[in-house]
Amino acid sequence: MPRHPPLPHQLILGFLFLLLVSIAEARFVVEKNSLRVTSPNDIKGTYDSAIGNFGIPQYGGSMAGTVYYPKENRKGCKEFSEFSISLERKPGAMPTFLLLDRGDCFFALKVWNAQKAGAAAVLVADDIDEALITMDTPEEDASSARYIENITIPSALIEKSFGETLKKAISNGDMINVNLDWREAVPHPDDRVEYELWTTSNDECGVKCDMLMGYIKEFKGAAQILEKGGYTQFTPHYITWYCPQAFTRSKQCTSQCINHGRYCAPDPEQDFSSGYNGKDVVLENLRQLCVFRVANETKKPWLWWDYVTDFQIRCPMKDKKYNKECADGVIQSLGIDNKKIEKCMGDPEADAENHVLKEEQDAQIGKGSRGDVTILPTLVVNNRQYRGKLEKGAVLKAICSGFEETTEPAVCLSGDIETNECLDNNGGCWQDKAANITACKDTFRGRVCACPLVNGVQFKGDGYSLCKASGVGRCKINNGGCWNETRNGQTFSACQDNEDGCKCPPGFKGDGVHSCEDIDECKEKKACQCAECNCKNTWGSYNCSCGGDLLYIRDHDTCINHFAGKAAAEENSAWAAVWVILIGLGIAAAGAYLVYKYRLRSYMDLEIRAIMAQYMPLDSQADVSGALACIIYPHDGEPECPLHEVIKPIAIRHLPPGALLQGNGKGCKATTNDVQNTSHCKQLNSANRWNLVT
């Protein structure tokens, strides 16, 4: 790697001053959880508390406990064992929330000492009247790194006035019960969670970088499952800064920045004269952003997790492999189009904006409920900054709390991160043990009691004490909750798909749910009551017979002569035959009439044509194929033809080509529809009869 001479002292201070100013001007948003006092009554109510940025907040859950304010070590800066104070939980006792005062040591150290003493959570009371702030971890050093990594209990900062209220109640001998609630700490509007991780490719930045890389490797599997299932939308981000305008051409800015000082990263070793430069980090950050973008275009955004973990393993700074050649090898092994990645990265030497990194700088500015991003790493879930330890289980809880209840994926309902409340007394919900159906649905936040949908059949009810199958197919599920019984291969049921509720079938009486009893139609005289009838009750029905040759008619509940019934049937058959014959005769008569009418019409047509043929020629007397219409007009310029010699413009017949009409020489003209094809007409006699000459 290139080496540079040491920076002037003033330039180092100027560059660091820029970073400090950018952080100081940032807009911080304090992430809060609800703290509810349940007793005593005089301070009962809900109060705000600021979630500590270490430990493991119980996102999506809640925790109840009693508040304890120690008489010694009230700031918690020393181990409580030195004061013989133990907060270990005893069987049957509620968890202890330790109340401590702010000051004299790091927040994280107070919580670590409380955790070792057995506290379940820590409340730190502010010592000045101010708006709530986020309790953050101290700058990394060897001593603090050891305990920060091991803090697992949640903590919160409370306002000074509320702290004084709690202390006063405790001094009066009151037992204070509180409930810390993180269920609304993350918005949960729908069935998909959007989350983002602000990270860096720098692996030489100390404890935080080691923790970040460890988290990415550990969380990779869960993240890819969520992403492939469409449950989440993940976006990686990278922080960059710009170089002061006065120093953009300096060797130091050119070594830490690209695009003429527009995008910079701190030197990995904080030594401008040795090792890798901030410019190397910016280029790899840009490459990782483009890997995500190209993978996202191919509908495989989860490949970012593979690239980042593989690059960290194969191309670490300590092995001097943190370079483009090693990165290209990782990209090739994952089957990602490297040409598209290089096109996405653009020219780092150009004196122009890089659209990818410009979008990243714009995204650093907080919007809505999310504050500015200035600290690495930062996790944002549903536009709400995550607070706490960056650890797989804790982060998964935060993500799972972002799903709308009952839409969580299976990974959120595993025993590792939540407790199935339906296993304890069925969650207090309705259930049908016989059919193994329950209204209890386990969720990440607890459970809901809602009547289920089973095999396409919807149960209806309040979900707590009652659920009934409804609609088509309901009788297939535990017989719709109705009575049914089978005897001697015969089954009766009080359930009907097209009706709600249960109703005993005909032949039975009862509530239809628990029982239906057979009706004795014979005893209750509901059927088979004619004088000749013999009644015998059966299960769900009855049998009725008649003595002698009598036949029982069930619809009329009467007995009739068997032969009389047969004769009546024969009589009905005879009448049916008569009607068939009559209908057939009617159809034959109608057909004969139509034939007669057709033949008569044909005969009349022939007679009329014969009569007309005696007075004028008919079309059938000559071949008129291809004939033209002939219309009679006077010759132009000649005297008008006498009225009895002229037929005014009407078509009188069709003529074959070349045909002539002869007349009395009066100059009448025969015209065809072809104006070039004409002939003269002559009247033969005063009878206006015309003769065809061919």
Side-chain angles (χ1 to χ4, degrees):
M1 297 304 299
R3 298 289 184 268
H4 302 288
L7 272 170
H9 183 67
Q10 294 85 349
L11 183 56
I12 296 176
L13 291 178
F15 190 75
L16 293 177
F17 175 75
L18 173 69
L19 301 183
L20 292 174
V21 168
S22 65
I23 294 174
E25 293 179 348
R27 183 178 68 92
F28 289 97
V29 174
V30 177
E31 308 302 331
K32 300 177 182 179
N33 62 304
S34 172
L35 190 156
R36 183 164 53 91
V37 177
T38 58
S39 68
N41 288 331
D42 56 342
I43 62 171
K44 189 175 182 180
T46 301
Y47 303 84
D48 282 338
S49 60
I51 304 173
N53 200 23
F54 44 81
I56 303 179
Q58 301 299 312
Y59 281 101
S62 61
M63 179 186 294
T66 58
V67 178
Y68 174 75
Y69 184 51
K71 295 181 179 180
E72 297 178 285
N73 196 26
R74 289 183 168 180
K75 292 186 177 180
C77 294
K78 297 181 180 179
E79 293 192 16
F80 286 91
S81 59
E82 297 179 15
F83 303 90
S84 301
I85 297 175
S86 175
L87 305 175
E88 292 294 338
R89 187 176 178 183
K90 299 178 181 179
M94 293 185 69
T96 299
F97 293 175
L98 184 61
L99 176 62
L100 297 175
D101 294 329
R102 181 181 178 181
D104 292 355
C105 60
F106 295 129
F107 291 119
L109 181 59
K110 297 174 187 287
V111 177
W112 172 240
N113 288 333
Q115 177 177 306
K116 289 192 295 181
V122 175
L123 302 178
V124 178
D126 206 343
D127 57 353
I128 57 176
D129 291 316
E130 62 176 353
L132 290 173
I133 63 171
T134 297
M135 299 187 298
D136 206 351
T137 55
E139 293 296 324
E140 293 99 351
D141 58 55
S143 59
S144 63
R146 285 194 296 269
Y147 65 77
I148 291 173
E149 181 67 19
N150 294 315
I151 296 176
T152 58
I153 64 172
S155 59
L157 180 70
I158 61 176
E159 293 178 348
K160 179 182 178 181
S161 58
F162 178 48
E164 295 297 332
T165 300
L166 295 178
K167 295 173 189 176
K168 182 178 179 181
I170 292 173
S171 65
N172 291 335
D174 292 329
M175 184 176 73
I176 302 176
N177 292 327
V178 300
N179 189 300
L180 281 172
D181 194 342
W182 295 268
R183 286 177 294 184
E184 301 301 323
V186 176
H188 44 93
D190 51 36
D191 60 354
R192 191 181 75 169
V193 170
E194 292 82 32
Y195 72 107
E196 55 194 52
L197 175 66
W198 291 83
T199 180
T200 179
S201 61
N202 181 3
D203 61 5
E204 288 293 329
C205 59
V207 176
K208 281 195 173 181
C209 283
D210 294 341
M211 178 186 68
L212 174 61
M213 293 304 168
Y215 159 74
I216 291 176
K217 291 178 183 177
E218 185 183 25
F219 195 69
K220 168 186 168 183
Q224 291 182 325
I225 290 174
L226 291 169
E227 199 77 9
K228 290 178 181 179
Y231 300 112
T232 60
Q233 179 179 303
F234 168 74
T235 306
H237 289 291
Y238 296 80
I239 292 179
T240 60
W241 292 274
Y242 63 87
C243 189
Q245 184 66 33
F247 304 111
T248 54
R249 296 183 180 275
S250 68
K251 292 182 179 180
Q252 285 69 32
C253 276
T254 56
S255 68
Q256 310 306 317
C257 311
I258 66 173
N259 294 97
H260 290 245
R262 288 178 174 85
Y263 313 105
C264 312
D267 188 279
E269 298 91 355
Q270 298 181 5
D271 183 351
F272 292 104
S273 62
S274 64
Y276 287 94
N277 297 317
K279 179 178 181 178
D280 301 315
V281 176
V282 176
L283 285 172
E284 180 54 33
N285 288 350
L286 177 58
R287 182 176 291 106
Q288 293 186 6
L289 281 168
C290 288
V291 165
F292 175 77
R293 292 194 174 203
V294 173
N296 200 32
E297 289 175 0
T298 61
K299 309 299 182 184
K300 296 180 179 179
W302 50 84
L303 288 178
W304 178 88
W305 295 88
D306 291 322
Y307 174 81
V308 171
T309 52
D310 287 359
F311 180 82
Q312 198 274 333
I313 294 171
R314 295 170 58 179
C315 312
M317 288 182 175
K318 64 181 181 180
D319 293 343
K320 308 300 179 185
K321 294 181 180 180
Y322 187 91
N323 52 46
K324 181 180 185 301
E325 291 72 25
C326 188
D328 289 345
V330 177
I331 292 170
Q332 183 179 3
S333 68
L334 294 175
I336 305 174
D337 192 334
N338 203 11
K339 291 183 178 179
K340 289 185 177 181
I341 293 175
E342 291 179 356
K343 182 180 179 180
C344 169
M345 292 180 66
D347 182 7
E349 302 299 330
D351 187 7
E353 296 281 5
N354 180 293
H355 71 281
V356 176
L357 292 177
K358 182 64 169 65
E359 288 179 11
E360 291 298 291
Q361 285 187 343
D362 292 341
Q364 287 175 222
I365 306 302
K367 296 178 179 65
S369 60
R370 196 211 76 188
D372 296 346
V373 177
T374 57
I375 301 173
L376 286 176
T378 293
L379 182 71
V380 179
V381 181
N382 282 354
N383 207 38
R384 192 71 61 84
Q385 282 187 230
Y386 166 86
R387 300 299 186 192
K389 183 180 179 182
L390 206 60
E391 181 263 342
K392 176 185 176 181
V395 172
L396 193 56
K397 282 186 177 182
I399 291 174
C400 291
S401 69
F403 288 101
E404 183 181 11
E405 200 156 22
T406 74
T407 67
E408 307 95 333
V411 67
C412 291
L413 303 178
S414 65
D416 294 336
I417 65 170
E418 70 97 29
T419 301
N420 189 342
E421 294 187 14
C422 292
L423 298 179
D424 185 11
N425 195 32
N426 196 50
C429 304
W430 170 90
Q431 67 174 333
D432 184 338
K433 293 183 178 179
N436 194 27
I437 300 173
T438 177
C440 187
K441 184 174 179 61
D442 183 37
T443 68
F444 180 74
R445 292 178 182 80
R447 63 96 179 94
V448 294
C449 295
C451 293
L453 177 69
V454 181
N455 297 330
V457 179
Q458 179 63 59
F459 283 73
K460 295 182 179 180
D462 60 11
Y464 293 92
S465 59
L466 179 66
C467 283
K468 286 186 177 181
S470 177
V472 177
R474 73 184 189 95
C475 297
K476 296 179 181 179
I477 301 177
N478 195 30
N479 199 52
C482 303
W483 169 90
N484 75 315
E485 189 174 344
T486 300
R487 293 184 186 179
N488 300 323
Q490 191 175 20
T491 300
F492 286 97
S493 171
C495 182
Q496 293 184 7
D497 281 341
N498 58 352
E499 294 182 7
D500 289 334
C502 303
K503 182 180 179 181
C504 291
F508 291 89
K509 61 182 179 180
D511 59 12
V513 178
H514 302 99
S515 66
C516 285
E517 298 178 357
D518 174 56
I519 297 175
D520 190 338
E521 291 84 357
C522 302
K523 184 177 181 180
E524 297 185 13
K525 298 182 179 181
K526 292 188 175 183
C528 198
Q529 296 301 306
C530 62
E532 300 87 357
C533 295
N534 296 316
C535 185
K536 181 180 180 181
N537 186 57
T538 63
W539 186 59
S541 184
Y542 64 94
N543 288 329
C544 190
S545 59
C546 300
D549 294 329
L550 298 179
L551 179 66
Y552 179 68
I553 305 300
R554 193 181 188 94
D555 292 341
H556 299 282
D557 193 30
T558 187
C559 293
I560 64 171
N561 189 286
H562 178 72
F563 298 104
K566 184 175 181 181
E570 292 175 351
E571 182 180 354
N572 290 338
S573 299
W575 275 108
V578 169
W579 277 108
V580 170
I581 294 172
L582 291 176
I583 292 172
L585 290 174
I587 293 173
Y593 172 74
L594 293 174
V595 172
Y596 166 75
K597 190 173 182 179
Y598 172 75
R599 291 176 63 89
L600 179 62
R601 183 182 184 88
S602 299
Y603 174 74
M604 291 297 293
D605 287 346
L606 291 174
E607 288 297 319
I608 292 170
R609 290 173 65 87
I611 294 171
M612 293 179 66
Q614 296 176 9
Y615 298 97
M616 63 182 71
L618 300 174
D619 291 345
S620 60
Q621 293 173 341
D623 182 9
V624 295
S625 61
L628 300 172
C630 180
I631 304 176
I632 309 305
Y633 290 96
H635 277 294
D636 294 338
E638 294 186 4
E640 291 287 339
C641 295
L643 289 176
H644 69 277
E645 295 177 358
V646 179
I647 300 177
K648 293 190 177 182
I650 60 171
I652 62 171
R653 59 174 294 127
H654 288 81
L655 300 176
L660 295 175
L661 287 175
Q662 294 179 343
N664 58 6
K666 293 293 184 180
C668 296
K669 181 179 182 181
T671 308
T672 68
N673 62 349
D674 184 352
V675 297
Q676 302 297 327
N677 192 4
T678 64
S679 59
H680 291 85
C681 59
K682 295 181 180 181
Q683 189 173 14
L684 294 179
N685 52 47
S686 60
N688 292 332
R689 297 187 63 182
W690 304 86
N691 184 34
L692 176 63
V693 179
T694 60

